[in-house]
Amino acid sequence: MAKNQLGVLNALDAAKTQWYHFTAIIIAGMGFFTDAYDLFSISLVTRLLGRIYYHVDGAPKPGTLPPNVAAAVNGVAFCGTLTGQLFFGWLGDKMGRKRVYGMTLMMMVVCSIASGLSFGHSAKGVMATLCFFRFWLGFGIGGDYPLSATIMSEYANKKTRGAFVAAVFAMQGFGILAGGIVALITSAAFDHAYKAPTYEENASASTVPQADYVWRIILMFGALPAAMTYYWRMKMPETARYTALVARNAKQAASDMSKVLQVELEADKDDNIITEATSRNSYGLFSREFVRRHGLHLLGTSTTWFLLDISYYSGNLFQKDIFSAIGWLPPAATMNAIHELYLVARAQTLIALCGTIPGYWFTVAFIDRLGRFFIQLMGFFFMTVFMFALAIPYHHWTLRHNRIGFLIMYSLTFFFANFGPNATTFVVPAEIFPARLRSTCHGISAASGKAGAIVGAFGFLYASQSKDPKKTEAGYPPGIGVKNSLILLGCICFVGMLFTLLVPESKGKSLEELSGENDGEIVPVDDEYKATSSSTVPV
């Protein structure tokens, strides 16, 4: 680490935990609360959509979404998210974190409402408009990943930076829980108000016309938390690291952080310096120097996030199908449409309470003690163990008296995903890359994760189908079954352990030390902060 560094950055690194840290966590975290709510709430209502729009008179089972429609509805938001992560990650380094932050939030608000207002005279029309708005919803959500992580890491001190960034990500758990709770309340209210027989008793009457309002209310509710935080996001100043190291305005950085830290910071005398990288430090993303310094780091953060999300999203999005396979949910024909939604939401809420939320906050508590590397390696290891423990004796777990054991084991896989790579893959890319490329590299890593989520979301729909053609859902070809799908996911988690070896430990170090931005000349400036070379900010 260089002996000299801008005083404002030293002040941020050494700052004691203050109220502004918690304010930043809440403001950035509410974006992730909304992200999780919007991404996972669709899995709650897919069965209801099938009953409403794809009912077939005389069919022995309730209507279900055709395979291509189900894949589109579940996966289109991930396609949008991947695109948004790449685009807004790049834009965050070009235009600044704060300016881009507001764009993503407004897009999430508008598209959440629009998703619930999806219109059409036919099932195809409704599904097409729903997919259109969910793509752009995902596009806005995608921008929230690199920007929230980068802003929180650049605001935090180096002692508790991991916990602060992980706390932002941990709001995802509450978003998943909120999705389940909103679905529980909405479905319970409509089920009580509009009594309906089971599908076996009266197929047509089992789905009341008012059920069409239920899924729309659930999806539109996601706009509320995002809208509530917009004002506070716009009041946040630009991060000092972007202002000083990318925009090259140390005076403005000191002024902004003086208000935030409530201390007097001066950009003159000893602090009247600016770190101007030499030609060796002004490399761009597509340069040999970047590959030499950070190529393996970017490969490590991208591959581990990709592998983690294949496992995490395939299990989380389609856990309702797994619960049905082991009898946790009764056969669809024995319920009416709204009551089925209620039971699916109850199952997701239980998983969130038992495994998802505790895992996130264990990471917050221990990440700055145990380190990112250890937690990620441990998480992948136990995910592998529990996937195999579920898969190998799979028939044992399907027996009625063993179903609680299955639920416990399944919850533990989510616990160690969240007390493990699901949190650390979000934290580390926001720490180890240079400020001028930090948001871009986090966006690339996150987009790799969403590519894994797409593989999980689309692939698991088909892979988890029974080998017996008579037992597959309507319209699906035979798959490899739930047991073999879980074995495959266990193998993927094991490969994730191996790629974790490429990811450096970032605990207790400043961002400039990790990225190598202190490797260069420290140039004092008398009146204005100017670059001594003609190099521009690389893209």
Side-chain angles (χ1 to χ4, degrees), residues 9 11 31 40 50 138 155 164 191 245 288 421 473 482 518 537:
L9 303 188
F40 291 107
Y155 263 107
F164 290 155
D191 199 22
L245 299 176
R288 290 183 180 179
E473 293 186 19
V482 175
N518 282 331
V537 179

Side-chain angles (χ1 to χ4, degrees), residues 47 51 60-62 198-200 323-337 339-340 343 400 403:
R47 288 192 175 193
R51 287 201 188 223
K61 295 181 180 180
T198 67
Y199 188 86
E200 288 177 333
F323 290 142
S324 294
I326 59 101
W328 183 256
L329 295 175
T334 64
M335 301 174 282
N336 66 49
H339 189 65
E340 182 180 36
L343 293 181
R400 188 172 187 84
R403 290 171 185 169

